């Protein structure tokens, strides 16, 4: 089961005490305590250092640290019959877990603690009014609890499952933008997840660090690891305020990413990384070097501003398609202006295709030259590149020529999209005028065409047309 590494990193001890006296150790005053006629004293003994309260750097929680030859003395006016000591390895990871001895009675070891969260219970039994425990061998211990004449201590593991999208509030109303803050905890080099502003942040392996005199608080991603942002509404873009290592690079599974980077020095900025045109409720970033996030802004209505002096490395991609279909938009069409969505794709992969929105003066007459500059090709044209019907990029410029000979069409052209890439495309073959039954007008059908499944954009929404029914991207039937 996945575990959450939150502000509670220390294993808690649940004690079912029908009778007995419990002592805990979180402050310097706890080194000498008296309760119910029982006194517990932590002392230097023959050691070189006194017991002391230290701060666990990772959790910023206090720990009572005992050193070699330190003593724990338990005394009472009544007879002591059993004593339980709850200890773990020191947070100083290079120190071994010290042994423990008793000057009277029988001491049963709970085992060797493997790390600071691996709590062990040593149990003493006998009859005495005073018992002195001494740390022996090598190393240190941290002591959390001591129970005198009580029932058996039960170690309870408080680790909880990581939060998921099921923990989000689906009725939440986001602001524009919604800000993600750094959680008030410390986690190092582990999987973590948290929710802030009703946005789930999940990192495969990273750290959350509190502010110090020399460093701002941040949540971070380790090299070659991923961080995912999930909301209950479609995200348009994300801007991260943070810091990146030198020669930093990153990619994302949705939208178009840009970031500050330098081959010689670390870079910081607000923002240091921007993703635009995500158009999905979740986006995952993969970093090849460490990314530290001082905070993040999540946009739902408009894209965040691009990075200052953003360096773009656009690609030119050549696409050859063998299948085409065209759909008339009757609501937008009128005499002298017929609005069509022309789809072209490779039938071996229907998830990657071009949608070319064009206007013609004559119904069903596609032959001609089109361009966004001329206005008979629109910026509603886009390149679709993923199976979820939401991974697309709208065109900013483009043009194409359509010719026809012997019943076959030839299409050649390009579009340059918001992702800065340019897609050169060509097609030769039959174009299916989807839904046309009228004789004498382009009644052409491909004899080996698969069952009609078409995708189109209308009013900024993507629809899937199957047979005579139209569906949203979520599978519900559209009106």
């Amino acid at each position: 089961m996945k575990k959450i590494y939150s502000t509670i990193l220390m294993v808690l001890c649940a004690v079912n005490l029908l009778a007995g006296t419990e002592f805990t150790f979180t402050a310097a005053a706890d080194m000498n305590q008296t309760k119910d006629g029982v006194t517990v004293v932590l002392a230097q003994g023959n050691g070189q250092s006194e017991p002391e309260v230290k701060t666990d750097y990772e959790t910023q929680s206090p720990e009572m640290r005992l050193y070699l030859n330190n003593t724990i003395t338990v005394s009472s006016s009544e007879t002591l019959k059993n004593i339980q000591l709850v200890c773990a390895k020191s947070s100083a990871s290079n120190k071994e877990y010290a042994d423990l001895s008793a000057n009277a009675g029988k001491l049963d070891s709970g085992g060797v603690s493997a790390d600071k969260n691996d709590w062990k219970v040593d149990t003493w039994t006998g009859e005495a009014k005073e018992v002195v425990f001494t740390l022996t061998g090598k190393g240190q211990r941290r002591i959390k609890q001591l129970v005198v004449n009580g029932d058996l201590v039960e170690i309870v593991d408080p680790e909880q499952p990581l939060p998921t999208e099921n923990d989000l509030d689906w009725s939440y109303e986001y602001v524009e933008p919604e800000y993600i803050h750094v959680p008030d905890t410390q986690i190092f080099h582990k999987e973590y997840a948290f929710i802030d502003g009703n946005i789930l942040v999940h990192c495969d392996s990273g750290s959350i660090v509190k502010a110090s005199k020399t460093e701002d608080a941040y949540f971070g991603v380790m090299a070659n690891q991923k961080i995912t942002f999930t909301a209950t509404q479609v995200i348009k873009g994300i801007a991260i305020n943070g810091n990146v290592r030198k020669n930093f690079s990153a990619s994302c599974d949705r939208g178009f990413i840009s970031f500050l980077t330098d081959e010689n020095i670390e870079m910081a900025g607000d923002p240091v990384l921007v993703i635009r045109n995500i158009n999905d409720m979740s986006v995952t970033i993969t970093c090849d070097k460490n990314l530290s996030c001082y905070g993040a802004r999540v946009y739902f209505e408009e894209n965040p501003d691009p990075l200052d002096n953003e360096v773009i490395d656009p690609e030119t991609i050549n696409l050859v398609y063998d299948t085409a279909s065209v759909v008339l938009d009757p609501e937008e069409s009128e005499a002298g202006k017929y609005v069509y969505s022309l789809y072209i794709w490779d039938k071996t992969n229907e998830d990657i295709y071009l949608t070319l929105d064009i206007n013609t003066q004559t119904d069903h007459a596609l032959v001609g030259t089109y361009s966004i500059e001329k206005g008979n090709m629109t910026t509603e044209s886009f390149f679709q590149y993923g199976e979820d019907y939401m991974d697309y990029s709208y065109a900013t410029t483009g043009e194409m020529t359509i010719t026809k000979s012997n019943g076959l069409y030839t299409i050649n052209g390009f579009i340059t999209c918001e992702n800065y890439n340019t897609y050169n495309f060509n097609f030769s073959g039959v174009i299916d005028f989807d839904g046309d039954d009228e004789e004498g007008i382009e009644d052409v059908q491909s004899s080996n065409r698969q069952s009609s499944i078409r995708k189109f954009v209308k009013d900024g929404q993507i629809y899937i047309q199957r047979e005579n029914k139209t569906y949203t991207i979520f599978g519900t039937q559209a009106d």
Side-chain angles (χ1 to χ4, degrees):
M1 181 192 308
K2 290 183 178 179
K3 302 292 184 180
I4 183 170
Y5 298 92
S6 63
T7 55
I8 304 177
L9 290 176
M10 298 167 57
V11 176
L12 302 179
C13 298
V15 183
N16 180 16
L17 287 176
L18 298 178
T21 304
E22 176 188 3
F23 297 84
T24 57
F25 305 91
T26 58
D30 297 337
M31 294 184 196
N32 192 327
Q33 305 179 63
T34 299
K35 293 181 182 180
D36 303 330
V38 179
T39 299
V40 175
V41 177
L42 309 184
Q44 182 174 345
N46 294 324
Q48 296 182 351
S49 302
E50 295 181 351
E52 61 180 334
V53 176
K54 303 287 285 187
T55 299
D56 183 335
Y57 177 73
E58 180 174 323
T59 65
Q60 292 296 290
S61 299
E63 66 173 47
M64 182 67 74
R65 191 176 295 182
L66 299 172
Y67 299 100
L68 196 62
N69 294 319
N70 285 174
T71 59
I72 306 167
T73 300
V74 183
S75 58
S76 175
S77 58
E78 303 293 333
T79 301
L80 301 169
K81 294 184 177 181
N82 70 72
I83 303 170
Q84 297 172 82
L85 303 97
V86 181
C87 301
K89 189 175 180 181
S90 166
S91 65
S93 58
N94 62 335
K95 299 298 183 181
E96 296 183 34
Y97 185 64
D99 295 328
L100 192 68
S101 67
N103 69 336
K106 179 184 179 184
L107 179 63
D108 293 320
S109 172
V112 177
S113 172
D115 61 51
K116 66 179 184 179
N117 296 314
D118 182 21
W119 296 95
K120 303 297 183 183
V121 181
D122 293 331
T123 304
W124 176 89
T125 54
E127 291 191 359
K129 291 192 175 181
E130 181 180 276
V131 182
V132 179
F133 301 93
T134 304
L135 268 66
T136 62
K138 296 181 179 180
Q140 304 174 358
R141 282 195 182 199
R142 61 198 303 221
I143 183 169
K144 180 175 179 59
Q145 188 179 37
L146 187 149
V147 180
V148 176
N149 293 341
D151 289 347
L152 292 178
V153 173
E154 178 186 2
I155 301 296
V156 178
D157 183 354
E159 293 182 342
Q160 302 296 322
L162 284 171
T164 70
E165 56 269 24
N166 295 328
D167 298 303
L168 295 172
D169 179 1
W170 290 82
S171 64
Y172 187 90
E173 295 184 7
Y174 292 100
V175 299
E176 178 75 6
E178 191 76 50
Y179 200 87
I180 299 174
H181 303 84
V182 180
D184 185 23
T185 186
Q186 291 217 130
I187 295 166
F188 289 88
H189 303 166
K190 296 176 180 176
E191 180 184 20
Y192 66 80
F194 65 89
I195 294 174
D196 189 43
N198 204 50
I199 296 166
L200 172 68
V201 180
H202 174 269
C203 179
D204 288 347
S205 183
S207 301
I208 301 176
V209 178
K210 291 188 176 183
S212 66
K213 293 181 180 180
T214 59
E215 190 171 33
D216 292 332
Y218 69 87
F219 58 93
V221 192
M222 294 179 65
N224 301 311
Q225 300 295 327
K226 298 179 180 180
I227 188 167
T228 300
F229 298 85
T230 302
T232 56
Q233 182 177 322
V234 171
I235 300 170
K236 188 66 175 178
I238 293 177
I240 293 178
N241 171 21
N243 174 279
V244 295
R245 296 288 178 86
K246 63 181 181 180
N247 204 27
F248 174 83
S249 181
S251 61
C252 59
D253 66 341
R254 299 284 188 274
F256 312 107
I257 192 169
S258 57
F259 42 81
L260 300 182
T261 185
D262 189 284
E263 63 181 6
N264 297 313
I265 60 173
E266 293 187 1
M267 299 287 287
D270 185 10
V272 72
L273 182 150
V274 171
I275 310 177
R276 296 159 61 88
N277 296 309
I278 294 170
N279 302 321
D280 202 340
M281 290 188 289
S282 183
V283 61
T284 297
I285 305 170
T286 302
C287 304
D288 76 335
K289 299 286 193 310
N290 287 21
L291 165 66
S292 300
C293 308
Y294 306 139
R297 297 183 296 278
V298 179
Y299 295 79
F300 299 93
E301 302 298 332
E302 302 289 340
N303 272 312
D305 292 334
L307 286 170
D308 292 337
N309 303 318
E310 184 174 325
V311 177
I312 305 301
D313 186 17
E315 294 184 71
T316 299
I317 300 168
N318 297 316
L319 304 170
V320 179
Y321 291 123
D322 60 12
T323 310
S325 177
V326 67
V327 177
L328 176 69
D329 186 341
E331 294 183 4
E332 297 295 328
S333 298
E334 59 187 23
K337 181 185 175 182
Y338 297 89
V339 179
Y340 287 99
S341 290
L342 172 62
Y343 307 95
I344 56 175
W345 71 94
D346 181 348
K347 62 185 176 184
T348 62
N349 190 348
E350 290 192 346
D351 296 323
I352 300 177
Y353 61 92
L354 284 176
T355 296
L356 305 166
D357 269 30
I358 59 175
N359 303 326
T360 67
Q361 293 184 342
T362 305
D363 191 11
H364 288 78
L366 299 182
V367 172
T369 300
Y370 302 86
S371 73
I372 291 177
E373 183 179 2
K374 290 173 60 176
N376 59 356
M377 180 178 178
T378 79
T379 54
E380 292 297 307
S381 302
F382 62 88
F383 174 61
Q384 163 73 33
Y385 57 91
E387 62 183 8
D388 292 333
Y389 312 128
M390 297 191 76
D391 305 329
Y392 59 90
S393 182
Y394 283 113
T396 55
T397 60
E399 63 180 44
M400 68 175 176
T401 300
I402 303 177
T403 61
K404 183 181 179 183
S405 177
N406 298 323
L408 299 179
Y409 287 90
T410 298
I411 305 174
N412 290 289
F414 78 91
I415 57 172
T416 298
C417 295
E418 290 177 331
N419 63 0
Y420 310 109
N421 292 337
T422 297
Y423 302 93
N424 297 323
F425 54 86
N426 64 74
F427 163 83
S428 181
V430 173
I431 295 180
D432 172 20
F433 277 73
D434 220 14
D436 279 350
D437 295 323
E438 185 177 346
E439 295 183 1
I441 304 181
E442 303 287 355
D443 186 17
V444 290
Q445 296 278 341
S446 174
S447 61
N448 61 354
R449 183 167 60 90
Q450 298 177 356
S451 176
S452 295
I453 301 176
R454 301 292 178 262
K455 304 139 190 162
F456 62 95
V457 173
K458 180 179 177 182
D459 298 330
Q461 300 294 319
I462 300 177
Y463 294 91
I464 304 164
Q465 193 173 61
R466 180 181 291 110
E467 304 297 340
N468 294 321
K469 297 180 180 179
T470 301
Y471 300 87
T472 69
I473 57 171
F474 300 105
T476 57
Q477 188 169 341
D479 294 334

